[in-house]
PDB file of all heavy atoms in Angstrom:
ATOM      1  N   ASN A  48     152.319 133.438 154.946  1.00 82.00           N
ATOM      2  CA  ASN A  48     151.992 134.747 154.364  1.00 82.00           C
ATOM      3  C   ASN A  48     150.587 134.749 153.774  1.00 82.00           C
ATOM      4  O   ASN A  48     149.845 135.713 153.941  1.00 82.00           O
ATOM      5  CB  ASN A  48     153.015 135.140 153.296  1.00 82.00           C
ATOM      6  CG  ASN A  48     154.353 135.542 153.881  1.00 82.00           C
ATOM      7  OD1 ASN A  48     154.423 135.986 155.025  1.00 82.00           O
ATOM      8  ND2 ASN A  48     155.407 135.362 153.118  1.00 82.00           N
ATOM      9  N   ARG A  49     150.223 133.667 153.069  1.00 82.00           N
ATOM     10  CA  ARG A  49     148.873 133.579 152.495  1.00 82.00           C
ATOM     11  C   ARG A  49     147.821 133.578 153.597  1.00 82.00           C
ATOM     12  O   ARG A  49     146.790 134.242 153.474  1.00 82.00           O
ATOM     13  CB  ARG A  49     148.741 132.333 151.619  1.00 82.00           C
ATOM     14  CG  ARG A  49     149.427 132.469 150.269  1.00 82.00           C
ATOM     15  CD  ARG A  49     149.009 131.370 149.294  1.00 82.00           C
ATOM     16  NE  ARG A  49     149.281 130.036 149.778  1.00 82.00           N
ATOM     17  CZ  ARG A  49     150.429 129.375 149.620  1.00 82.00           C
ATOM     18  NH1 ARG A  49     151.431 129.946 148.977  1.00 82.00           N
ATOM     19  NH2 ARG A  49     150.571 128.158 150.090  1.00 82.00           N
ATOM     20  N   LEU A  50     148.077 132.829 154.666  1.00 82.00           N
ATOM     21  CA  LEU A  50     147.124 132.797 155.778  1.00 82.00           C
ATOM     22  C   LEU A  50     146.958 134.172 156.410  1.00 82.00           C
ATOM     23  O   LEU A  50     145.847 134.564 156.765  1.00 82.00           O
ATOM     24  CB  LEU A  50     147.575 131.789 156.838  1.00 82.00           C
ATOM     25  CG  LEU A  50     147.339 130.321 156.522  1.00 82.00           C
ATOM     26  CD1 LEU A  50     147.967 129.450 157.591  1.00 82.00           C
ATOM     27  CD2 LEU A  50     145.859 130.023 156.393  1.00 82.00           C
ATOM     28  N   SER A  51     148.051 134.906 156.555  1.00 80.00           N
ATOM     29  CA  SER A  51     147.966 136.236 157.164  1.00 80.00           C
ATOM     30  C   SER A  51     147.199 137.208 156.275  1.00 80.00           C
ATOM     31  O   SER A  51     146.653 138.196 156.766  1.00 80.00           O
ATOM     32  CB  SER A  51     149.354 136.780 157.491  1.00 80.00           C
ATOM     33  OG  SER A  51     150.072 137.067 156.311  1.00 80.00           O
ATOM     34  N   ASN A  52     147.127 136.902 154.985  1.00 82.00           N
ATOM     35  CA  ASN A  52     146.351 137.730 154.050  1.00 82.00           C
ATOM     36  C   ASN A  52     144.941 137.204 153.860  1.00 82.00           C
ATOM     37  O   ASN A  52     144.208 137.694 152.994  1.00 82.00           O
ATOM     38  CB  ASN A  52     147.064 137.796 152.688  1.00 82.00           C
ATOM     39  CG  ASN A  52     148.372 138.542 152.764  1.00 82.00           C
ATOM     40  OD1 ASN A  52     148.538 139.442 153.582  1.00 82.00           O
ATOM     41  ND2 ASN A  52     149.318 138.158 151.927  1.00 82.00           N
ATOM     42  N   GLY A  53     144.552 136.182 154.635  1.00 80.00           N
ATOM     43  CA  GLY A  53     143.209 135.633 154.545  1.00 80.00           C
ATOM     44  C   GLY A  53     143.004 134.690 153.371  1.00 80.00           C
ATOM     45  O   GLY A  53     141.870 134.367 153.030  1.00 80.00           O
ATOM     46  N   GLU A  54     144.083 134.236 152.762  1.00 80.00           N
ATOM     47  CA  GLU A  54     143.988 133.331 151.620  1.00 80.00           C
ATOM     48  C   GLU A  54     144.085 131.885 152.082  1.00 80.00           C
ATOM     49  O   GLU A  54     144.480 131.592 153.201  1.00 80.00           O
ATOM     50  CB  GLU A  54     145.114 133.630 150.622  1.00 80.00           C
ATOM     51  CG  GLU A  54     145.100 135.045 150.083  1.00 80.00           C
ATOM     52  CD  GLU A  54     146.342 135.344 149.253  1.00 80.00           C
ATOM     53  OE1 GLU A  54     146.884 134.407 148.646  1.00 80.00           O
ATOM     54  OE2 GLU A  54     146.769 136.499 149.250  1.00 80.00           O
ATOM     55  N   SER A  55     143.764 130.976 151.175  1.00 75.00           N
ATOM     56  CA  SER A  55     143.863 129.549 151.446  1.00 75.00           C
ATOM     57  C   SER A  55     145.305 129.093 151.289  1.00 75.00           C
ATOM     58  O   SER A  55     146.057 129.640 150.487  1.00 75.00           O
ATOM     59  CB  SER A  55     142.965 128.775 150.471  1.00 75.00           C
ATOM     60  OG  SER A  55     143.129 127.392 150.671  1.00 75.00           O
ATOM     61  N   VAL A  56     145.677 128.064 152.036  1.00 73.00           N
ATOM     62  CA  VAL A  56     147.047 127.558 152.010  1.00 73.00           C
ATOM     63  C   VAL A  56     147.314 126.752 150.746  1.00 73.00           C
ATOM     64  O   VAL A  56     148.356 126.887 150.128  1.00 73.00           O
ATOM     65  CB  VAL A  56     147.335 126.689 153.255  1.00 73.00           C
ATOM     66  CG1 VAL A  56     148.655 125.981 153.132  1.00 73.00           C
ATOM     67  CG2 VAL A  56     147.288 127.532 154.497  1.00 73.00           C
ATOM     68  N   GLY A  57     146.394 125.901 150.360  1.00 69.00           N
ATOM     69  CA  GLY A  57     146.639 125.029 149.214  1.00 69.00           C
ATOM     70  C   GLY A  57     147.509 123.857 149.610  1.00 69.00           C
ATOM     71  O   GLY A  57     147.729 123.571 150.783  1.00 69.00           O
ATOM     72  N   ASP A  58     148.040 123.162 148.635  1.00 67.00           N
ATOM     73  CA  ASP A  58     148.856 121.976 148.888  1.00 67.00           C
ATOM     74  C   ASP A  58     150.284 122.358 149.235  1.00 67.00           C
ATOM     75  O   ASP A  58     150.875 123.227 148.609  1.00 67.00           O
ATOM     76  CB  ASP A  58     148.869 121.066 147.660  1.00 67.00           C
ATOM     77  CG  ASP A  58     147.516 120.426 147.402  1.00 67.00           C
ATOM     78  OD1 ASP A  58     146.750 120.271 148.368  1.00 67.00           O
ATOM     79  OD2 ASP A  58     147.239 120.084 146.241  1.00 67.00           O
ATOM     80  N   MET A  59     150.812 121.668 150.217  1.00 67.00           N
ATOM     81  CA  MET A  59     152.209 121.846 150.603  1.00 67.00           C
ATOM     82  C   MET A  59     153.032 120.782 149.891  1.00 67.00           C
ATOM     83  O   MET A  59     152.534 119.691 149.606  1.00 67.00           O
ATOM     84  CB  MET A  59     152.358 121.683 152.119  1.00 67.00           C
ATOM     85  CG  MET A  59     151.707 122.767 152.941  1.00 67.00           C
ATOM     86  SD  MET A  59     152.554 124.346 152.808  1.00 67.00           S
ATOM     87  CE  MET A  59     154.046 123.999 153.712  1.00 67.00           C
TER      88      MET A  59
END
Side-chain angles (χ1 to χ4, degrees):
N48 287 334
R49 284 194 302 273
L50 283 174
S51 68
N52 293 330
E54 301 172 30
S55 176
V56 171
D58 291 334
M59 292 290 289

